[in-house]
């Protein structure tokens, strides 16, 4: 049996995975309703400059508001129709979502995208997701018919091939019942462990599907999705980006890359509108 310190470290890291999808701000979230800052405006019609609505997909333990308090207004200010959803809710757990089985969460995304397309009249949407929100849509694209409705998927620190939590998930077999407990209580967490049945099914036959453009934006300082290289995808129409190649001074870790990092946001903007892309540098923080 491992010492108590190792047990505490394992539990702490599992908690970090739960918390990493979104900032736990002091602003109380309201499920499925964004504040009046221009997003989730169901009267919005895409412009000729930005013909596709953007759907934002929060991370584990996140929600449709807190995860996007920075990035959603950033996109709205630039003329996009922007929407965000709540998914992966567990009974009796308010505000903190993304904990349910990921294949079911993908079904919730499918329903939400259909609603957005019907409201806007657009034939396709673009998806931007943080952490689990950058990986879960791949199930929708691959198994739920989403490929015909999505132009691009942009992942900010997505756990595309699962996470080892700095190697600590390999310790789970040493704690009898731990894996079963995690699977039963928070299946969305169990699905994200490297080597899980979900991850194997997600990636079998290739990482991508035809017709969708993929962008992965990762940071070498990610302490939750490890190793960070596991975030990258293989296949056609894939662009894997390491933030520190764009700006060596960028020290963002897993949470900050989605919540506050304007360099990552600028690169995501380039992925949404590659025809008008501008080089992302350290100075992009001021744009």
């Amino acid at each position: 049996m491992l010492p108590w310190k190792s047990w505490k470290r394992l539990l702490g890291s599992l908690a970090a995975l739960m918390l990493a999808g979104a900032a736990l701000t002091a602003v109380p979230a309201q499920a499925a309703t964004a504040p009046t800052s221009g997003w989730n405006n169901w009267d919005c019609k895409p412009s000729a400059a930005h013909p596709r609505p953007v759907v934002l997909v929060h991370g584990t333990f996140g929600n449709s508001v807190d995860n996007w308090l920075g990035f959603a207004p950033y996109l709205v200010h630039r003329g996009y129709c922007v929407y965000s959803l709540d998914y992966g809710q567990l009974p009796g757990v308010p505000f903190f979502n993304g904990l349910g089985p990921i294949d079911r969460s993908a079904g919730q995304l499918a329903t939400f995208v259909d609603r957005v397309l019907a409201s806007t009249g657009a034939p396709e949407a673009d998806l931007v997701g943080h952490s689990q929100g950058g990986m879960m849509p791949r199930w929708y694209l691959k198994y739920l018919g989403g490929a015909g409705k999505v132009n691009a998927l942009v992942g900010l620190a997505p756990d595309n091939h699962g996470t080892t939590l700095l190697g600590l998930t390999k310790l789970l077999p040493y704690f009898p019942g731990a894996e079963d407990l995690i699977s039963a209580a928070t299946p969305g967490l169990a699905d994200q462990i490297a080597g899980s049945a979900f991850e194997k099914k997600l990636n079998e036959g290739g990482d991508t599907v035809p017709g969708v453009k993929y962008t992965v934006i990762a940071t070498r300082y990610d302490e939750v999705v490890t190793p960070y290289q596991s975030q990258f995808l293989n296949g056609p129409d894939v662009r894997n980006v390491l933030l520190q190649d764009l700006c060596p001074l960028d020290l963002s870790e897993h949470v900050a890359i989605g919540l506050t990092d304007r360099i990552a946001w600028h690169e995501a903007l380039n992925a949404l509108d590659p025809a008008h892309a501008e080089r992302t540098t350290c100075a992009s923080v001021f744009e």
Side-chain angles (χ1 to χ4, degrees), residues 44-47 49-52 73-82:
C44 188
K45 299 301 179 184
S47 65
H50 303 301
R52 293 178 300 275
Y74 179 91
L75 290 177
V76 170
H77 180 68
R78 287 157 177 79
Y80 287 87
C81 291
V82 181

Side-chain angles (χ1 to χ4, degrees), residues 4-14 165-166 168:
W4 173 239
K5 286 185 178 180
S6 295
W7 173 242
K8 288 198 298 182
R9 189 181 178 202
L10 175 63
L11 291 179
S13 294
L14 290 172
L165 279 174
L166 298 174
L168 292 176

